[in-house]
Amino acid sequence: DYNPKKVIELLTPYSRKILCVRGNCEAEVDQMVLDFPIMSTSRYVESDGIRMFITHGHHYNMDAPPILSRGELLIHGHTHIPKATEHEGFVYINPGSVSIPKEDSHHGYMIYENGVFTWKDLDGNALKSYSVKEE
C-alpha cells in the first residue's frame, strides 16, 4: 500500500547511513520531511576499490551511460528490473523495486557488502547475488 508516512518512519533511524539519488518522481516536498538528502541526481561512490556511478536512470542508463572506465559500475533502478551484467567495459546493476517491480520480478531491494551485491525479497531472503570482486 502507498504509505509515505510509514516509509519516513522506517527510514529516519538510518538517516546517517543512507545515500540517495533523486528519482523521476521525487519533489522538494519529499525533501522537507526527510532528514537526509534525496535531491542529488547522481553520486559517485567508491567501496572496496570499486568505483560506482549511482543514478536513477532516466538520464544516464545503458543506452546513455556516463563516462565510465573499465570495471566501473553503473547502478540505476529506473526500469525496476533486477539485473547485473557486463556492458561495454563497465558493469550495469539494477536493484529492482520495493514498490513497483516490473517483468514479473519480486518486490525487493539490493544490498552491497564486501564486493557482492545481493537481491533480497521484503522478508530479507536472499534471491540472487553478483560479485564484482576479481577472483
Side-chain angles (χ1 to χ4, degrees), residues 22-30 39 56 58 78 80 100:
R22 181 180 184 156
N24 57 331
C25 294
E26 276 73 32
E28 289 184 28
V29 70
D30 297 317
M39 300 304 284
H56 177 258
H58 60 293
H78 182 61
H80 296 217
I100 309 171

Side-chain angles (χ1 to χ4, degrees), residues 88-125:
E88 298 180 9
F90 64 89
V91 176
Y92 164 64
I93 296 182
N94 190 310
S97 177
V98 170
S99 59
I100 309 171
K102 304 266 176 95
E103 293 189 7
D104 296 319
S105 61
H106 62 280
H107 290 263
Y109 59 96
M110 180 185 73
I111 62 168
Y112 172 80
E113 293 179 301
N114 303 315
V116 178
F117 289 90
T118 304
W119 287 261
K120 295 188 174 193
D121 64 20
L122 295 181
D123 292 323
N125 300 307

Side-chain angles (χ1 to χ4, degrees), residues 42 44 53 55-68 74-76 78 87-88 90 92:
S42 63
Y44 274 103
F53 181 85
T55 188
H56 177 258
H58 60 293
H59 293 295
Y60 291 110
N61 51 56
M62 291 276 285
D63 295 326
I67 296 172
L68 296 169
L74 167 61
I75 302 173
H76 78 68
H78 182 61
H87 182 76
E88 298 180 9
F90 64 89
Y92 164 64

